Amino acid sequence: MAAHFGRLRKGATTTAVAAVAVAALSASQAPGVTTDDLGRQSAGAAQPSGDAKTGGAGGGATGDSPYYTDLPPLKSPNPSPSASPTTGTTVSVGEAEAGIPATVLDAYKKAEAELRASKPGCNLPWQLLAAIGKVESGQARGGRVDASGTTYSPILGPKLDGNGFALIADTDNGAYDGDPAYDRAVGPMQFIPSTWEWAGRDGNGDGKKDPNNVYDAALAAGHYLCRFDRDLSVQSQMNAAILNYNNSTEYLNTVLSWLEYYRKGTHEVPDGTGTLPSHSSNSDPGASPSPSTPATPSTPSAPSTPSAPSTPSTPKPGSGGSTSPTPKPPAPSSPTPSPTPPTPTQTVDHLEDANTGKLTATAGSAFGAKVAVRAESKASKGVAKVRVRFTIIGDTDATFTGGESVATVVTGSAGTATAPALVAGEKTGDFTVRATVVGRVLGGLDYTATVTPRQADTLTRTGDTALTCVPGGEFTDQVELKATYKGAVAGKVAATATLIKSADDPTENDKGPYFKDADGKTIRTLTDLTTDADGVLKLPKLYADDATGTFLLRVNTTGGAVLTVELKVAAAAS
């Protein structure tokens, strides 16, 4: 089990603690981060922002607000124990730190996919968003988000009133942070309002740009990091992007540590069960990056040996009582807090099929039916506001509408979620669509979908010229055909052409006209033919041997279209 080291605070601590923290970073040091002669780390030079829309002092997305400085656990054969703040016994933080709440993880991966499509040159890894989300909000307070990805309560940083922080007067009339006097960093990725105003994105498609929604915030952070045509696969440019997010070398090093840790492997945990960091970059021990995050607990000191009870002295005349204080009655115990009601996701017991139709489609076309499931409680009642993830599994190039292989849908009032329409690719055969509940470890539902080959039901020649040749010669005209299906053009349909013995004997002929292969050898059957996008199929040139007479060429397509063409070989007229 790996040891866990608290991160250095700004202005911070002893030389011994600093040495431990730097050693921890060096153990998984990222490319582009160097160490000088004194053991201090530095990063590649940051690019100047050069952007008028920076918002806040220092130009960072967060206004250089406080952040969590906990380091990831180090994988060491001899983990260093630390004292438990509650029992005093030695404990080590294990790989629970690698767990990321399901909805939060889904938001990071969805943002990466969107940036891969819109800004492919940026090469944004979702693990970088996860690293920033860890140090900014502890992955949205351990994944305390609802089905749409919005935090149950706002995540707000301290007032940026210049008292230990940057001075940023209110820019949003309190619309985002609820503070009409000073700005505060907001949401899982801790954007200050002035930056969110132009950098905000709608990541979950609900028509709103909400900094407290992890899908919106993750997508906004991705676009913010990818500004200035950065390529984040280049370490110096990644360093510049991180420093532009929060202009602090300590911040850069902390984010890079979590980035490398997450790259080594992560796993999904249910929403609301993620581990919470405790150390803040704020040197003020009373402050923390978000109001609801507990402060770092201190290790209890050893109890002192109790002294013997003193004998109460006799009260002096006129003193009005004894010298010992009168015992006070015990304070009334505080009422037991009521348990937190379960979230809708926690009440889901299973998924049921919701009348999904037969999932079949021809290659290149949309499926007529959609996968639909119903999230139900133990009492078989539908559960609304639950995220259901639909995943395409198998050797297929089929996708959901929009080109994605994963889609997440929130259940409606009846508990039903319907996946986007499936679109078949060119690969034929079966694949699976799996439905699972995001944030719960429950059995999913698997659906088999089938892609059938493209078809044609009619073949016709595009010309009517007689196909003739002299013995030992070559046919002047090439055979050209057009395929249709139910009257429409049948493009990309597979076909086979064979020179047959007779109309009643479709076996391959051993004499008469023939094709040539790439080596010039005689062949009389062509396979792997395909009509073009317009349904046209043009066969290679035909040749004749010494046999004369009328011969037959038969062409077949997937779907049953058949056409037989006459070929005549006769000596030239004198």
Side-chain angles (χ1 to χ4, degrees), residues 557-574:
T557 70
T558 303
V562 179
L563 180 65
T564 302
V565 180
E566 284 191 352
L567 305 172
K568 292 183 178 181
V569 180
S574 57

Side-chain angles (χ1 to χ4, degrees), residues 37 75 136 157 222 238 259 262 344 376 411 456 524 549:
D37 295 338
K75 294 185 178 180
E136 292 294 352
M238 177 183 284
L259 169 63
Y262 286 141
E376 296 186 351
T411 58
R524 289 189 168 90

Side-chain angles (χ1 to χ4, degrees), residues 316-412:
K316 296 179 181 179
S319 63
S322 67
T323 56
S324 300
T326 303
K328 294 181 180 179
S333 59
S334 58
T336 304
S338 59
T340 303
T343 65
T345 300
Q346 292 169 332
T347 66
V348 177
D349 179 72
H350 59 275
L351 288 175
E352 285 288 340
D353 177 55
N355 298 319
T356 299
K358 189 176 182 180
L359 299 172
T360 59
T362 303
S365 64
F367 283 73
K370 297 180 181 180
V371 178
V373 299
R374 187 169 185 258
E376 296 186 351
S377 64
K378 284 186 178 181
S380 296
K381 292 184 178 180
V383 183
K385 298 183 179 180
V386 172
R387 298 188 72 81
V388 176
R389 180 181 298 143
F390 298 94
T391 307
I392 295 174
I393 301 170
D395 183 17
T396 181
D397 54 357
T399 65
F400 293 113
T401 302
E404 298 293 332
S405 60
V406 178
T408 305
V409 180
V410 179
T411 58

